[in-house]
Amino acid sequence: DQQVKQNSPSLSVQEGRISILNCDYTNSMFDYFLWYKKYPAEGPTFLISISSIKDKNEDGRFTVFLNKSAKHLSLHIVPSQPGDSAVYFCAASAGGGTSYGKLTFGQGTILTVHP
Amino acid sequence: DAGITQSPRHKVTETGTPVTLRCHQTENHRYMYWYRQDPGHGLRLIHYSYGVKDTDKGEVSDGYSVSRSKTEDFLLTLESATSSQTSVYFCAAGDRTGLRDGYTFGSGTRLTVV
């Protein structure tokens, strides 16, 4: 039972254009969402997060939008650069106490930015 | 270099043998996690720790055990390795700010069980 889904295995965009990566979730208890980027043979690197009490968070070229009623979030990268080519993972967290910080990940989306 | 170090980076082992992977952090983080990455599944949580000697199971914990005797070290043991445990294993660490600021991941251990 996949609680976090990234339905697009891959995305290809032109340099300078917008990249939009999507993520859907089913667990209404999720209260924090994170995006990670991963290059081959490296560990995931944190990009941006959003709390469920917000609907938008922005950091430089990266913006995450959260639509709680649709249980959907998206990551926008503007403008896209060739160095952004990587696998992007959406992750969600629910609960506190000793379960704090346990992340449920989506399957990932491979982003390719062409020069 | 501060951060998270995983060892070994690569390992090939035979079915039925025990294997221990090590995660070492230098940031004094309270929370530590072990994930495995497999095609089509993203990363899945194996075990996690919320303090020294305090550990609990994740969603794919069968066949794995962990120990945390010091803040900086979190060990993952495969009691008797099976081919289904061939995977890339990642360790992560962070504190209460981790959901806002992100958890730091190690570079991973590629384990092959033959």
Side-chain angles (χ1 to χ4, degrees), chain B residues 91-104:
Chain B
C91 174
D95 293 302
R96 297 290 292 186
T97 59
L99 290 179
R100 183 193 69 206
D101 302 330
Y103 293 91
T104 303

PDB file of all heavy atoms in Angstrom, chain B residues 91-104:
ATOM      1  N   CYS B  91      21.751   5.621   5.560  1.00  0.00           N
ATOM      2  CA  CYS B  91      21.565   6.067   6.925  1.00  0.00           C
ATOM      3  C   CYS B  91      21.246   7.560   6.899  1.00  0.00           C
ATOM      4  O   CYS B  91      21.754   8.290   6.028  1.00  0.00           O
ATOM      5  CB  CYS B  91      22.851   5.818   7.716  1.00  0.00           C
ATOM      6  SG  CYS B  91      22.854   6.456   9.381  1.00  0.00           S
ATOM      7  N   ALA B  92      20.402   8.005   7.818  1.00  0.00           N
ATOM      8  CA  ALA B  92      20.080   9.429   7.925  1.00  0.00           C
ATOM      9  C   ALA B  92      20.088   9.818   9.399  1.00  0.00           C
ATOM     10  O   ALA B  92      19.897   8.974  10.284  1.00  0.00           O
ATOM     11  CB  ALA B  92      18.720   9.732   7.301  1.00  0.00           C
ATOM     12  N   ALA B  93      20.288  11.095   9.651  1.00  0.00           N
ATOM     13  CA  ALA B  93      20.308  11.582  11.025  1.00  0.00           C
ATOM     14  C   ALA B  93      19.776  13.000  11.073  1.00  0.00           C
ATOM     15  O   ALA B  93      19.832  13.745  10.094  1.00  0.00           O
ATOM     16  CB  ALA B  93      21.722  11.525  11.602  1.00  0.00           C
ATOM     17  N   GLY B  94      19.249  13.388  12.236  1.00  0.00           N
ATOM     18  CA  GLY B  94      18.745  14.739  12.399  1.00  0.00           C
ATOM     19  C   GLY B  94      18.194  14.936  13.793  1.00  0.00           C
ATOM     20  O   GLY B  94      18.270  14.046  14.645  1.00  0.00           O
ATOM     21  N   ASP B  95      17.643  16.117  13.999  1.00  0.00           N
ATOM     22  CA  ASP B  95      17.051  16.456  15.289  1.00  0.00           C
ATOM     23  C   ASP B  95      15.605  16.896  15.103  1.00  0.00           C
ATOM     24  O   ASP B  95      15.017  16.672  14.050  1.00  0.00           O
ATOM     25  CB  ASP B  95      17.902  17.542  15.963  1.00  0.00           C
ATOM     26  CG  ASP B  95      19.267  17.031  16.344  1.00  0.00           C
ATOM     27  OD1 ASP B  95      19.327  16.044  17.101  1.00  0.00           O
ATOM     28  OD2 ASP B  95      20.274  17.598  15.880  1.00  0.00           O
ATOM     29  N   ARG B  96      15.056  17.583  16.127  1.00  0.00           N
ATOM     30  CA  ARG B  96      13.656  17.996  16.071  1.00  0.00           C
ATOM     31  C   ARG B  96      13.387  18.976  14.939  1.00  0.00           C
ATOM     32  O   ARG B  96      12.255  19.123  14.498  1.00  0.00           O
ATOM     33  CB  ARG B  96      13.236  18.636  17.394  1.00  0.00           C
ATOM     34  CG  ARG B  96      13.287  17.713  18.589  1.00  0.00           C
ATOM     35  CD  ARG B  96      12.225  16.660  18.564  1.00  0.00           C
ATOM     36  NE  ARG B  96      10.877  17.193  18.734  1.00  0.00           N
ATOM     37  CZ  ARG B  96       9.788  16.433  18.865  1.00  0.00           C
ATOM     38  NH1 ARG B  96       9.902  15.137  18.851  1.00  0.00           N
ATOM     39  NH2 ARG B  96       8.600  16.984  18.999  1.00  0.00           N
ATOM     40  N   THR B  97      14.435  19.631  14.462  1.00  0.00           N
ATOM     41  CA  THR B  97      14.281  20.553  13.333  1.00  0.00           C
ATOM     42  C   THR B  97      14.355  19.840  12.000  1.00  0.00           C
ATOM     43  O   THR B  97      14.268  20.474  10.946  1.00  0.00           O
ATOM     44  CB  THR B  97      15.364  21.641  13.368  1.00  0.00           C
ATOM     45  OG1 THR B  97      16.651  20.993  13.312  1.00  0.00           O
ATOM     46  CG2 THR B  97      15.271  22.471  14.627  1.00  0.00           C
ATOM     47  N   GLY B  98      14.527  18.538  12.024  1.00  0.00           N
ATOM     48  CA  GLY B  98      14.775  17.798  10.788  1.00  0.00           C
ATOM     49  C   GLY B  98      13.655  17.866   9.772  1.00  0.00           C
ATOM     50  O   GLY B  98      13.894  17.865   8.572  1.00  0.00           O
ATOM     51  N   LEU B  99      12.418  17.938  10.231  1.00  0.00           N
ATOM     52  CA  LEU B  99      11.319  18.003   9.271  1.00  0.00           C
ATOM     53  C   LEU B  99      11.308  19.349   8.557  1.00  0.00           C
ATOM     54  O   LEU B  99      10.921  19.440   7.401  1.00  0.00           O
ATOM     55  CB  LEU B  99       9.984  17.771   9.976  1.00  0.00           C
ATOM     56  CG  LEU B  99       9.755  16.355  10.483  1.00  0.00           C
ATOM     57  CD1 LEU B  99       8.415  16.257  11.192  1.00  0.00           C
ATOM     58  CD2 LEU B  99       9.827  15.342   9.350  1.00  0.00           C
ATOM     59  N   ARG B 100      11.755  20.390   9.216  1.00  0.00           N
ATOM     60  CA  ARG B 100      11.808  21.712   8.591  1.00  0.00           C
ATOM     61  C   ARG B 100      13.095  21.890   7.796  1.00  0.00           C
ATOM     62  O   ARG B 100      13.075  22.391   6.671  1.00  0.00           O
ATOM     63  CB  ARG B 100      11.727  22.789   9.665  1.00  0.00           C
ATOM     64  CG  ARG B 100      11.708  24.218   9.118  1.00  0.00           C
ATOM     65  CD  ARG B 100      11.956  25.204  10.235  1.00  0.00           C
ATOM     66  NE  ARG B 100      13.323  25.127  10.722  1.00  0.00           N
ATOM     67  CZ  ARG B 100      13.690  25.484  11.959  1.00  0.00           C
ATOM     68  NH1 ARG B 100      12.795  25.913  12.825  1.00  0.00           N
ATOM     69  NH2 ARG B 100      14.955  25.394  12.334  1.00  0.00           N
ATOM     70  N   ASP B 101      14.192  21.439   8.345  1.00  0.00           N
ATOM     71  CA  ASP B 101      15.504  21.705   7.734  1.00  0.00           C
ATOM     72  C   ASP B 101      16.079  20.517   6.991  1.00  0.00           C
ATOM     73  O   ASP B 101      17.145  20.619   6.399  1.00  0.00           O
ATOM     74  CB  ASP B 101      16.494  22.133   8.813  1.00  0.00           C
ATOM     75  CG  ASP B 101      16.030  23.363   9.559  1.00  0.00           C
ATOM     76  OD1 ASP B 101      15.313  24.185   8.946  1.00  0.00           O
ATOM     77  OD2 ASP B 101      16.362  23.503  10.750  1.00  0.00           O
ATOM     78  N   GLY B 102      15.394  19.375   7.055  1.00  0.00           N
ATOM     79  CA  GLY B 102      15.860  18.201   6.341  1.00  0.00           C
ATOM     80  C   GLY B 102      16.768  17.329   7.176  1.00  0.00           C
ATOM     81  O   GLY B 102      17.489  17.799   8.049  1.00  0.00           O
ATOM     82  N   TYR B 103      16.709  16.046   6.921  1.00  0.00           N
ATOM     83  CA  TYR B 103      17.625  15.101   7.543  1.00  0.00           C
ATOM     84  C   TYR B 103      18.805  14.891   6.612  1.00  0.00           C
ATOM     85  O   TYR B 103      18.649  14.893   5.402  1.00  0.00           O
ATOM     86  CB  TYR B 103      16.911  13.775   7.813  1.00  0.00           C
ATOM     87  CG  TYR B 103      15.845  13.912   8.864  1.00  0.00           C
ATOM     88  CD1 TYR B 103      14.540  14.214   8.512  1.00  0.00           C
ATOM     89  CD2 TYR B 103      16.152  13.810  10.218  1.00  0.00           C
ATOM     90  CE1 TYR B 103      13.564  14.390   9.472  1.00  0.00           C
ATOM     91  CE2 TYR B 103      15.190  13.980  11.177  1.00  0.00           C
ATOM     92  CZ  TYR B 103      13.898  14.272  10.809  1.00  0.00           C
ATOM     93  OH  TYR B 103      12.946  14.456  11.754  1.00  0.00           O
ATOM     94  N   THR B 104      19.978  14.671   7.199  1.00  0.00           N
ATOM     95  CA  THR B 104      21.193  14.443   6.419  1.00  0.00           C
ATOM     96  C   THR B 104      21.352  12.954   6.161  1.00  0.00           C
ATOM     97  O   THR B 104      21.234  12.152   7.100  1.00  0.00           O
ATOM     98  CB  THR B 104      22.418  14.965   7.160  1.00  0.00           C
ATOM     99  OG1 THR B 104      22.236  16.354   7.447  1.00  0.00           O
ATOM    100  CG2 THR B 104      23.674  14.804   6.304  1.00  0.00           C
TER     101      THR B 104
END
